[in-house]
Amino acid sequence: MEKEVKKISIAVIKRLPKYHRYLGELIQKDVEKISSRKLSEMMGLTASQIRQDLNNFGGFGQQGYGYNVKDLYREISKILGLHNKYNFVIIGAGNLGQAIANYHGFSEKGFHLKGIFDINPKIIGMKIHEVQVMDIDKLEEFIYTENIDIAVICVPKENAQEVADRLNKTNIKGIWNFAPVDLKVRKDTVLEQVHLSDSLLTLSYKINEKLLQERQEKIRQRRDIPGHPLKSIKT
Ligand code: NAI
């Protein structure tokens, strides 16, 4: 009988890939068990946060023993659905589409690239990482005949919704969208948007915040120098 699916909060789900990555690295280093304290030091989370998160998946931690790395990795893989195999297609064989097609890491995790589609006749027929670029007109038929689960959208933002509209008429399970636009998709299709520039702007914010702190620190230090003009200024 199937185990009942336990609801896990989005905040915890967002941390799962990170746990998965770190535990995978520990397995490669033949580490069999790890304490929440050690794991917290590695991952930059607090030990209590880790205990709380991992309590969601059944009592893997044992007092005085820590976590069994392989068991925990297996359980997190299961929650992430990585015991399934996924077939995916890339739509848009430009810079980003080609980079994703050339990346080996996805197949190791069970994501298999089956086809690449484009609208440009100069690109159609080309092979990227052993996979042929096909005419976008063949998309729908290919999704049905090859049992495609996921479509990766790598077309310019102006064309992204028209691609999504085509996908909305198929039985695709998930869309991984890299175009900087919020797509409208069918209710039963899972949509994951990747806004790379949002992440870049967050980086910019953090750098700027650090620069401001350093500048304030410099002003504070100058103010402490006897006779310095800033000495008399109070903030
Ligand atoms: P690109 O211009 O190199 O490639 C886009 C490809 O989509 C072209 O080959 C074009 O022929 C194809 N295409 C256009 N309309 C189509 C349609 N209706 N059906 C099928 N194929 C179609 O663009 P690039 O740089 O690869 O970017 C792709 C998307 O990813 C854009 O939305 C961009 O904003 C986004 N993105 C790209 C990043 C990058 O590092 N290249 C970074 C962040 C976002």
Side-chain angles (χ1 to χ4, degrees), residues 203-227:
L203 178 70
S204 161
Y205 167 81
K206 288 178 180 169
I207 292 174
N208 190 47
E209 196 187 30
K210 199 164 162 273
L211 289 175
L212 285 174
Q213 275 170 5
E214 282 168 5
R215 209 169 297 149
Q216 277 170 358
E217 182 55 28
K218 268 195 195 133
I219 293 174
R220 219 172 290 128
Q221 282 170 2
R222 278 196 215 125
R223 208 182 294 129
D224 290 342
I225 299 171

Side-chain angles (χ1 to χ4, degrees), residues 8-17 19 45 49 53 56:
I8 299 170
S9 79
I10 281 289
V12 178
I13 292 168
K14 282 197 169 158
R15 282 194 287 274
L16 287 185
Y19 283 116
L45 295 167
Q49 173 85 82
D53 283 356
N56 282 290

Side-chain angles (χ1 to χ4, degrees), residues 91-97 117-120 123 136 153-157 159 162-163 178-180 196-197:
I91 306 168
N95 292 307
L96 189 61
F117 292 87
D118 206 286
I119 208 167
N120 182 349
I123 301 179
I136 188 72
I153 298 186
C154 297
V155 300
K157 72 170 190 223
N159 308 93
E162 77 189 47
V163 169
F178 283 83
L196 285 179
S197 334

Side-chain angles (χ1 to χ4, degrees), residues 85-218:
K85 296 282 166 261
Y86 299 98
N87 291 332
F88 75 97
V89 290
I90 295 173
I91 306 168
N95 292 307
L96 189 61
Q98 294 194 25
I100 291 175
N102 279 314
Y103 179 59
H104 298 254
F106 298 134
S107 65
E108 286 163 15
K109 291 190 168 60
F111 297 87
H112 302 291
L113 176 61
K114 293 289 181 181
I116 309 173
F117 292 87
D118 206 286
I119 208 167
N120 182 349
K122 286 190 189 135
I123 301 179
I124 295 167
M126 225 171 83
K127 267 195 166 176
I128 305 167
H129 199 64
E130 300 299 307
V131 179
Q132 195 146 30
V133 180
M134 291 169 275
D135 191 318
I136 188 72
D137 283 347
K138 303 218 169 86
L139 178 72
E140 290 83 350
E141 191 192 336
F142 192 86
I143 287 176
Y144 282 108
T145 55
E146 297 296 318
N147 290 319
I148 302 301
D149 306 292
I150 298 170
V152 185
I153 298 186
C154 297
V155 300
K157 72 170 190 223
E158 298 75 22
N159 308 93
Q161 188 57 53
E162 77 189 47
V163 169
D165 290 342
R166 292 182 79 140
L167 293 169
N168 283 339
K169 292 183 191 128
T170 70
N171 60 347
I172 204 90
K173 294 188 185 81
I175 296 177
W176 199 22
N177 174 38
F178 283 83
V181 56
D182 294 321
L183 294 179
K184 290 182 195 74
V185 301
R186 259 194 0 223
K187 269 205 183 103
D188 59 347
T189 308
V190 180
L191 172 68
E192 183 64 26
Q193 312 249 20
V194 184
H195 293 310
L196 285 179
S197 334
D198 289 6
S199 173
L200 189 61
L201 297 195
T202 308
L203 178 70
S204 161
Y205 167 81
K206 288 178 180 169
I207 292 174
N208 190 47
E209 196 187 30
K210 199 164 162 273
L211 289 175
L212 285 174
Q213 275 170 5
E214 282 168 5
R215 209 169 297 149
Q216 277 170 358
E217 182 55 28
K218 268 195 195 133

Side-chain angles (χ1 to χ4, degrees), residues 38-86:
K38 269 247 175 76
L39 197 56
S40 71
E41 280 165 14
M42 283 170 60
M43 291 184 58
L45 295 167
T46 65
S48 79
Q49 173 85 82
I50 287 190
R51 280 194 294 270
Q52 260 180 41
D53 283 356
L54 301 186
N55 265 346
N56 282 290
F57 324 127
F60 278 102
Q62 278 171 32
Q63 200 81 45
Y65 174 88
Y67 296 100
N68 179 311
V69 174
K70 270 195 186 151
D71 285 352
L72 195 53
Y73 181 79
R74 211 175 296 130
E75 190 65 15
I76 291 177
S77 302
K78 216 155 72 183
I79 294 165
L80 287 170
L82 296 178
H83 52 296
N84 300 319
K85 296 282 166 261
Y86 299 98

